[in-house]
Amino acid sequence: MAADTGLENLKTDCIAALRKGEEDAFEAAAASLQEFQPQDLAFKMETLGWLACLALKQNCRRSGFKALNLLAVSSLDIEQGDAAAEGVFLQSLRHVAVMAARTHDKELFAAAVSRLAVRYAKTGCAEENAAVFMRLLTALLFMASDRRYKDVLPMLIWLSLRLCRSEAVTDELLLPFLREWACLAAQSARRGWEDIAGLLLNGLFYILLKQGSFAATRSVLLYVMLHMQMYAAWDGVEKAFKVYAPVQNFSLLVLQRAVKEKDAAAATAYVRLILRAWRDFIAAAARQNMQDEMELYQNWFSFGMEGKSPKYCQRLRRFIQLTLGYWAGQQPKTSKKQLKYLKNIFEPDLVKGRYLELLQAAR
């Protein structure tokens, strides 16, 4: 009871100091919170998170940083497996980050993300808090994108990669998280923030490559390409190729992995996925723009080659040839009349050996 009373009194002192704008008095009172025993940890972290928010609201940035740092220090006392205390820390940190974003305090927002990264640099979150952590990262990604905190996004992507590879994260948690991430990229692209959209898409595909899950790759890639299709309908196909260039890069990497894959069924599944995805995108974009598919394949070829290295151009030429080959196999009547106008793409013909085998299997 005495401890509870002492904590409440210190909390009251901190609030009074913030109301008066006396940051020195606040720091002295807040530092005294560290003297309380571990059994008061949850209350202490909740209090520090609340005080950091109040400090930001009162425009006391120094006090806000002090409360955030004390919150991070207090989290070191969380015992392994104490999901309840960890949950309080995650929620408290989320409140601080939200308030920092609302008050346009980029520095403190970045500091909150940094404290989160430091805590989970070596250890994963408790299984019971995996869903809480997912919601926190989703919120942080949204705020960083919405405020265009370009420097903070790489740290959040790294954190997301660590969490996604944790055994505590099931497919039921992972797929909605990644699809929400894809939505953020689409929203950024729609607002004309190509740099933010590019960062988000590159981060998203990096996680998919590290995960190595066909189900996740299929779900997210098709979802992203649906957004790409809608973007092409609004702003044109050529701009869609530019803004969604990470999709092309990802597809080339998937193809490269499939060629080296020893499991024939897995290799075929991945190749069929990317070829079908691009064929369907070209077909849908052609209908939207009332064009023949051959025109869009030429546009894709021209855009893809522009400013790229000879090695990249060769890989892209092969991939477009594979896509055309898949299109011809799936829709022979439609493609037959148009393929003769695409001879420049097939000079030289790069679909040989292992690539030809995969194309035939994918058909």
Side-chain angles (χ1 to χ4, degrees), residues 1-8 10 32-48 71 74 77-78 82 85 88:
M1 182 66 69
D4 290 344
T5 302
L7 281 169
E8 287 291 352
L10 277 175
S32 299
L33 288 170
Q34 295 301 100
E35 300 173 7
F36 286 83
Q37 299 302 311
Q39 59 263 31
D40 303 309
L41 181 60
F43 179 83
K44 182 167 62 175
M45 290 190 297
E46 189 175 21
T47 298
L48 286 167
L71 174 62
S74 298
D77 294 329
I78 299 175
D82 190 348
V88 172

Side-chain angles (χ1 to χ4, degrees), residues 26 42 51 64 67 131 175 192 202-203 231 239 273-274 276 278 287 295 302 308 347:
F26 171 83
L51 289 172
L175 289 180
N202 283 324
Y231 187 90
K239 194 167 182 182
L273 169 64
I274 55 176
R276 181 179 294 173
W278 278 95
R287 288 194 299 271
E295 295 181 62
S302 299
K308 302 299 192 299
E347 297 173 356

Side-chain angles (χ1 to χ4, degrees), residues 94 116 129-143 145 153-166 168-187 200-201 203-208 211 216 219-221 223-224 227:
R94 174 174 180 159
L116 189 67
N129 285 321
V132 177
F133 209 140
M134 282 288 193
R135 289 194 293 271
L136 171 59
L137 282 177
T138 300
L140 292 174
L141 282 166
F142 171 78
M143 288 182 280
S145 303
L153 280 172
M155 195 184 307
L156 285 171
I157 291 169
W158 177 84
L159 263 174
S160 301
L161 175 62
R162 283 198 55 79
L163 180 63
C164 290
R165 302 187 74 180
S166 169
V169 178
T170 62
D171 286 344
E172 289 74 17
L173 289 174
L174 178 64
L175 289 180
F177 172 68
L178 295 179
R179 286 166 71 92
E180 185 66 28
W181 189 328
C183 281
L184 288 176
Q187 290 166 4
L200 289 170
L201 287 171
L204 178 62
F205 290 137
Y206 181 73
I207 287 176
L208 286 176
Q211 287 292 110
S219 176
V220 175
L221 176 61
Y223 194 58
V224 170
H227 287 299

Side-chain angles (χ1 to χ4, degrees), residues 183-202:
C183 281
L184 288 176
Q187 290 166 4
S188 298
R190 195 72 191 97
R191 295 165 89 171
W193 300 344
E194 295 179 16
D195 53 347
I196 300 298
L199 273 173
L200 289 170
L201 287 171
N202 283 324

